Amino acid sequence: PGVKALVTARGHVLLLQERRSEEPSFWTIPGGGVESGESLTESLHRELQEELQCAATVGKLLGGCAYSHLTCPATSVYTVFDVTLLSEPDPNPEEGIVEYAWFRPDDLPQTTLDPIQQFIQTSVGPNTDDVDDSPVPDYLTLPRQHPR
């Protein structure tokens, strides 16, 4: 089993660009596998620390999604929680994290994993009425947009 964090702010969702070995990079939400003896929330705190080197508050359970891997015959099932970051993310390249960026749910990168894109569309939806693109320096107040 695995856990994922859906981090949203002002109509945007946080995505990580991940690269595994020599494979092409892809975009996903933070999270990973649950280790033996860990609760789901303990695992999510650990994954956020490993991938983004930041603290967070884990909120309510939002649902789940499954991902069938392209490079091996396996399917990962993830439980997704609503998460609020408590510090600025610092992507950890040792964990395969290339960068992070904030995207509108209706404007996700083409290389976003399909099950993640579907989960975001279902959970956050395409409604962008609360999107605020005004320039505010604090990353928690207004998410940075990924340059296109």
Side-chain angles (χ1 to χ4, degrees):
V3 289
K4 291 283 190 179
L6 183 62
V7 182
T8 59
R10 295 180 70 178
H12 294 75
V13 63
L14 176 78
L15 294 182
L16 305 183
Q17 186 179 32
E18 230 177 285
R19 177 172 287 123
R20 301 286 176 204
S21 64
E22 298 302 316
E23 298 172 22
S25 64
F26 58 90
W27 290 90
T28 187
I29 55 179
V34 177
E35 294 181 359
S36 178
E38 281 184 324
S39 70
L40 295 177
T41 56
E42 288 170 338
S43 176
L44 194 49
H45 281 287
R46 177 185 50 75
E47 287 289 343
L48 289 165
Q49 188 60 46
E50 288 175 0
E51 293 181 350
L52 293 174
Q53 305 175 85
C54 69
T57 299
V58 177
K60 68 179 181 177
L61 187 146
L62 297 174
C65 65
Y67 174 70
S68 296
H69 297 270
L70 300 175
T71 57
C72 64
T75 298
S76 296
V77 178
Y78 295 101
T79 302
V80 184
F81 289 88
D82 181 42
V83 170
T84 302
L85 300 183
L86 301 176
S87 58
E88 185 165 3
D90 181 15
N92 185 355
E94 292 179 16
E95 290 291 317
I97 308 304
V98 177
E99 68 175 312
Y100 78 93
W102 298 89
F103 295 93
R104 291 168 42 144
D106 63 347
D107 192 28
L108 301 176
Q110 286 186 329
T111 56
T112 303
L113 296 176
D114 286 340
I116 299 302
Q117 189 166 6
Q118 291 169 9
F119 188 86
I120 291 168
Q121 292 298 322
T122 302
S123 300
V124 180
N127 184 353
T128 56
D129 292 344
D130 61 346
V131 172
D132 185 344
D133 290 322
S134 60
V136 178
D138 184 342
Y139 88 97
L140 288 174
T141 306
L142 179 69
R144 307 189 277 148
Q145 296 252 354
H146 185 266
R148 294 267 175 190

